[in-house]
Amino acid sequence: RRRSVAEMLVPLALRHRQWAFVLGAPLAFALVALRKKSVNKSGAVGGFLVALACSMAGAQFLAALLWFFVSSTLLTRFGSKRKKQVEEDYKVGGQRSAIQVFSNALAGTVACVLWVVWDGAPQPLLVGVFLGHFACCCG
């Protein structure tokens, strides 16, 4: 049976504490990333939107996304001397733009959105898409 739009939005009707997590965690990480110069302003907005989709799917998705972000940021800073030699448009700290954020997170974000809105979704497949996507992005 086909679900109406209202029925698809039922999972979005969260309790107050859940909304605090769903909105607060992505906002906090976007602000920290901006402050640490890991992203520029557009990258912070893009990162917030990606993290928002992941947090709506569940804390496990957000935790995996944040692990990917933190580890890739640390590796970028660790290998900054080599990166400076290789990249023409190298930026100190590897400041990512929204385009870079979406390029590195699109498939994983789509998996999270499908997890939230698709009733009867093949959940093991979506988890595999999500984790596999970020594993590929790691190298």
Side-chain angles (χ1 to χ4, degrees):
R1 132 179 138 81
R2 289 188 55 142
R3 294 186 324 157
S4 70
V5 172
E7 288 175 316
M8 287 192 296
L9 294 178
V10 169
L12 304 179
L14 303 172
R15 288 175 279 183
H16 298 310
R17 275 183 260 167
Q18 288 173 315
W19 274 115
F21 169 77
V22 165
L23 294 172
L27 182 61
F29 279 98
L31 292 174
V32 168
L34 185 62
R35 188 173 185 194
K36 294 282 187 183
K37 299 189 187 300
S38 297
V39 294
N40 61 22
K41 288 179 184 177
S42 73
V45 171
F48 171 78
L49 294 173
V50 168
L52 180 65
C54 292
S55 67
M56 289 178 75
Q60 68 276 22
F61 290 98
L62 183 62
L65 173 70
L66 296 177
W67 176 254
F68 165 74
F69 175 74
V70 169
S71 64
S72 65
T73 299
L74 291 175
L75 289 171
T76 295
R77 292 196 176 155
F78 179 72
S80 63
K81 288 180 185 175
R82 171 103 170 99
K83 231 179 161 174
K84 191 183 283 187
Q85 296 169 346
V86 177
E87 291 182 6
E88 289 179 26
D89 60 344
Y90 173 79
K91 293 180 184 171
V92 176
Q95 284 191 318
R96 295 167 182 88
S97 67
I99 291 173
Q100 290 170 307
V101 169
F102 292 131
S103 296
N104 286 316
L106 185 62
T109 304
V110 169
C112 288
V113 169
L114 289 174
W115 181 279
V116 172
V117 299
W118 184 8
D119 186 35
Q123 292 180 346
L125 175 66
L126 293 177
V127 171
V129 167
F130 178 82
L131 293 176
H133 170 77
F134 286 109
C136 288
C137 287
C138 286

